[in-house]
Amino acid sequence: MDDLLLLGIETTCDETAAAVVLRRADGSGEIRSNVVLSQVDEHAIYGGVVPEIAARAHVEVTDHVVAQALKEAGIGLRHLSGIAAASGPGLIGGVIVGLTTAKAMALASGKPLIAVNHLEAHALTARLTDGVTFPYLLLLVSGGHTQLVCVSGVGRYTKLGGTIDDAIGEAFDKTAKMLGLPYPGGPAVERAAERGDPARFALPRPLSGRAEPDFSLSGLKTAVRIEATRIAPLSEQDVCDLCASFQAAIVDVIADRVRAAQRVMRERGEKPSALVLAGGVGANQAVRKMLHKVAAEGGTRLAVPPPALCTDNGAMIAWAGAERLALGSRDTLEVPPRARWPLDEATLEVPAAVAKVATAPAPLGQPPLGQPPLGHAGG
Ligand code: KG4
Ligand code: ZN
């Protein structure tokens, strides 16, 4: 297996992102460029992502962002081993823009196309940044998704639990909106919580103690609304105290639900090499701090990508594309964009000729951390 140099394109939500990532033959990786253009300002006045605005913005800037990623990596199209794009799940207008761009580039260059599941890209990022080996327990927490997953290999995902109502990022966003904080809500709530009293409001910890590692967040959100209404009008300190109490409840819930998933992993006879935190909420420092503790209790370590690689970016798409291409997987130009695409349906179809390679033991040792992302990483 040779070194692989992948371009990755991400347009499933409100970031237009492209990156070039190297996957070495030994399974280690390195980010060569990582350009993220956030549309946050365009959506902020609406308090959330407006799909039509997002799709139009992606159309306007995707070509430019891709060109910038290649330029910062100091390469041309001819140097690439493959072109990867997030082909779902996400807002369909944006997904179409990124996937069509990748298809056009693949057609023009004759390079392999890899259609990447956005959730799989979040799931595999810790292998790029921390060289995590299979199997591992994944907590995927983003604006649209909250899942605990046993990751046994590339394309081998077993969902252990999920949310029965809101995603955790969504709960942060809705709570922020309710309290008059700016969009996106997660970072705003975290900042306000730093100046607040986490013990002032007794908020519920939904589903705590249940054996199944599922989540429910809507009751917590409602409890915040009831407290806010009760003490209205809110002072700045009230808002900080509500944010601190809300974040403390979320952190407790996450810890309890992850412990439940660790028990399920043990019952399944799986010994995870790490607890991996992925998705935008992984940027939250209080969540990270608690999960370090929970991982250690479970006899393992917490692996979490740097914040800029937790939120949506092109490097994670390029890396997931490289992991798939390394196992001989590639897609045709007919591959469809998907609004819905559950992670446990992102299985790997490997051509018979390379099936032997694909079933070989996990190739990664503990490679060094890839170079820090260049340029405009963020979001
Ligand atoms: O993974 P991501 O960038 O996009 C999706 O695929 O959804 O996650 C975005 C979500 C948003 O709900 C945002 O509020 C949340 O991640 N988020 C945070 C933080 N940074 C981003 N939530 C809590 N604390 C943060 N620091
Ligand atoms: Zn995401």
Side-chain angles (χ1 to χ4, degrees):
M1 174 58 60
D2 298 330
D3 289 355
L4 298 173
L5 198 59
L6 267 283
L7 171 70
I9 304 175
E10 159 60 38
T11 54
T12 64
C13 193
D14 60 347
E15 333 273 359
T16 314
V20 174
V21 170
L22 172 73
R23 185 187 186 278
R24 296 190 196 87
D26 67 2
S28 64
E30 187 183 308
I31 297 172
R32 292 291 173 85
S33 67
N34 191 21
V35 181
V36 181
L37 202 65
S38 177
Q39 305 171 3
V40 158
D41 294 344
E42 286 168 72
H43 299 285
I45 50 168
Y46 302 100
V49 179
V50 183
E52 179 64 21
I53 293 176
R56 284 169 191 270
H58 289 305
V59 169
E60 278 167 25
V61 299
T62 300
D63 286 0
H64 170 73
V65 169
V66 166
Q68 186 69 19
L70 292 172
K71 189 173 156 211
E72 288 185 15
I75 60 158
L77 197 49
R78 67 183 185 286
H79 298 111
L80 291 171
S81 317
I83 298 158
S87 62
L91 300 174
I92 196 68
V95 176
I96 290 171
V97 175
L99 182 59
T100 308
T101 304
K103 284 181 180 179
M105 292 179 76
L107 180 64
S109 65
K111 307 281 181 183
L113 170 74
I114 301 99
V116 168
N117 179 302
H118 176 93
L119 304 176
E120 173 175 47
H122 277 303
L124 297 175
T125 305
R127 286 170 53 78
L128 165 65
T129 57
D130 291 67
V132 172
T133 53
F134 300 122
Y136 53 88
L137 175 60
L138 167 73
L139 171 64
L140 177 59
V141 274
S142 70
H145 300 272
T146 294
Q147 298 180 8
L148 279 153
V149 179
C150 171
V151 181
S152 312
V154 177
R156 293 175 61 206
Y157 310 103
T158 310
K159 187 171 167 183
L160 306 178
T163 177
I164 54 182
D165 39 56
D166 292 349
I168 293 183
E170 191 180 356
F172 270 99
D173 293 338
K174 287 180 175 170
T175 298
K177 199 170 176 177
M178 198 192 323
L179 299 177
L181 295 173
Y183 169 84
V189 169
E190 183 174 14
R191 273 194 306 276
E194 280 162 17
R195 291 177 286 126
D197 173 7
R200 175 161 165 208
F201 300 97
L203 299 174
R205 270 67 173 157
L207 302 191
S208 279
R210 294 269 186 99
E212 305 78 28
D214 288 321
F215 293 82
S216 169
L217 280 309
S218 69
L220 176 55
K221 185 189 64 193
T222 307
V224 175
R225 180 174 327 106
I226 291 169
E227 291 294 341
T229 312
R230 188 174 62 78
I231 61 167
L234 302 178
S235 69
E236 205 182 314
Q237 191 56 50
D238 291 334
V239 169
C240 292
D241 291 346
L242 280 164
C243 286
S245 302
F246 166 79
Q247 186 173 275
I250 291 264
V251 168
D252 281 354
V253 165
I254 291 178
D256 183 81
R257 307 294 61 220
V258 169
R259 288 189 186 107
Q262 286 173 328
R263 282 193 290 275
V264 173
M265 286 282 274
R266 271 197 297 277
E267 281 158 23
R268 290 166 56 98
E270 303 261 18
K271 206 174 159 353
S273 72
L275 168 62
V276 170
L277 175 60
V281 181
N284 186 287
Q285 295 301 328
V287 172
R288 287 171 172 239
K289 206 171 144 204
M290 169 59 96
L291 287 182
H292 273 295
K293 228 179 90 195
V294 175
E297 277 168 27
T300 168
R301 67 174 173 128
L302 178 71
V304 46
L309 295 178
C310 281
T311 48
D312 292 349
N313 64 86
M316 68 180 193
I317 306 298
W319 175 255
E323 292 251 65
R324 289 193 154 246
L325 189 58
L327 296 174
S329 174
R330 55 193 285 178
D331 292 276
T332 68
L333 294 176
E334 277 73 50
V335 67
R338 300 187 210 192
R340 269 185 49 76
W341 187 5
L343 180 55
D344 43 12
E345 288 176 20
T347 50
L348 188 73
E349 278 163 41
V350 179
V354 286
K356 247 173 66 192
V357 181
T359 51
L364 291 195
Q366 297 287 324
L369 191 69
Q371 277 185 354
L374 306 173
H376 311 274

